[in-house]
Amino acid sequence: MSGKKQKISRATMTRFPIYLKALRTMGQSGKESFLSSELAEVTHIQDTTIRRDFSFLPQEKSLGKRGYGYDTKHIIDALSEVLGLGLDEPIILIGVGNLGSAILKYNRWKYTVGKIVCAYDRDQNIIGERFGVEIKDINELEDTFPKDCKIAILCVSDGVQEVVDRLVKLGVQGIVDFTHNHFIVPEGVEVQNVDVVVAIQELELKMKANEEE
């Protein structure tokens, strides 16, 4: 019987990166297998939810064994396959001001989605290296753009649409937007907006809802 592929819910997909980060850390420490209860302790997600989420992974890699648990490497591979992102996913940063510098310094998500391989800015005084990452002239973007890079973090305040257009032409398919400026992208390019003000507003609404319960 040819089973129809199950659609993975949005909630499950948002938990997959949490599992991936935890398991890569566990793998780095030499843990070759794990129980769902052990992963639950690390992620604070119920073990029943973890087992249910794992049922959506390719079964040849995700089946646990009684008394052994899950194979760490197999689950990492399965999660990476579903998420479509590898450990070496190249990311670029555009704009190395105060916020950009903070993000560059925090370039520590290697256990989840890759790393920032280079950054760009128009300020000639910034060109060089910072926190171990090369900072290049934005005017040389097309000539120095890293091969196969699909993700860009945007931290500029001026000429945002122009920068976005250039990135799209270079093959960028996903933009993490810290600019708070409106810009347009073509179909097939995803934008993830990061707005602290909106996050605080949403938090206040949740707190208010809790008080009213």
Side-chain angles (χ1 to χ4, degrees):
M1 186 174 91
S2 59
K4 188 176 179 181
K5 190 173 181 180
Q6 291 178 287
K7 183 177 180 181
I8 304 176
S9 71
R10 185 185 182 112
T12 295
M13 287 297 291
T14 60
R15 288 190 291 268
F16 277 172
I18 299 173
Y19 303 147
L20 186 57
K21 181 176 181 179
L23 291 174
R24 280 184 168 150
T25 302
M26 290 165 67
Q28 287 285 322
S29 67
K31 193 168 183 58
E32 297 181 355
S33 66
F34 67 95
L35 302 174
S36 58
S37 57
E38 293 176 307
L39 185 57
E41 288 181 10
V42 176
T43 61
H44 304 291
I45 297 171
Q46 290 186 346
D47 55 353
T48 52
T49 300
I50 291 172
R51 290 194 294 273
R52 185 174 65 247
D53 288 346
F54 282 2
S55 70
F56 292 99
L57 297 174
Q59 291 214 344
E60 68 274 10
K61 293 180 179 178
S62 63
L63 292 177
K65 298 178 182 178
R66 184 178 295 276
Y68 177 82
Y70 297 93
D71 185 289
T72 304
K73 184 180 183 304
H74 287 174
I75 296 296
I76 288 174
D77 290 344
L79 288 167
S80 298
E81 181 181 328
V82 171
L83 291 170
L85 292 174
L87 182 61
D88 298 320
E89 185 79 15
I91 303 169
I92 64 168
L93 170 70
I94 308 293
V96 193
N98 292 334
L99 178 58
S101 294
I103 293 173
L104 207 57
K105 185 177 182 180
Y106 185 72
N107 189 16
R108 298 174 182 170
W109 43 69
K110 60 183 179 180
Y111 293 143
T112 308
V113 294
K115 63 181 179 180
I116 298 174
V117 294
C118 67
Y120 291 89
D121 202 280
R122 65 182 59 187
D123 186 346
Q124 295 300 310
N125 295 319
I126 294 178
I127 307 304
E129 184 176 306
R130 185 172 295 186
F131 305 118
V133 178
E134 185 178 2
I135 302 172
K136 305 177 182 181
D137 190 333
I138 188 67
N139 294 319
E140 300 173 358
L141 177 64
E142 284 75 10
D143 296 328
T144 61
F145 188 78
K147 183 181 178 182
D148 298 327
C149 180
K150 300 175 183 177
I151 299 175
I153 302 173
L154 208 55
C155 295
V156 294
S157 55
D158 299 321
V160 177
Q161 185 66 61
E162 178 191 353
V163 172
V164 169
D165 292 342
R166 293 170 69 186
L167 291 171
V168 170
K169 286 181 180 179
L170 288 167
V172 167
Q173 299 175 11
I175 297 173
V176 182
D177 174 33
F178 286 89
T179 69
H180 300 179
N181 288 338
H182 175 71
F183 57 83
I184 300 172
V185 295
E187 186 176 352
V189 176
E190 299 294 334
V191 177
Q192 180 66 52
N193 296 297
V194 181
D195 191 323
V196 176
V197 173
V198 171
I200 293 173
Q201 289 174 336
E202 291 177 349
L203 179 62
E204 290 177 337
L205 288 172
K206 292 177 181 178
M207 292 166 61
K208 185 176 181 180
N210 288 337
E211 292 174 355
E212 293 176 351
E213 287 181 356

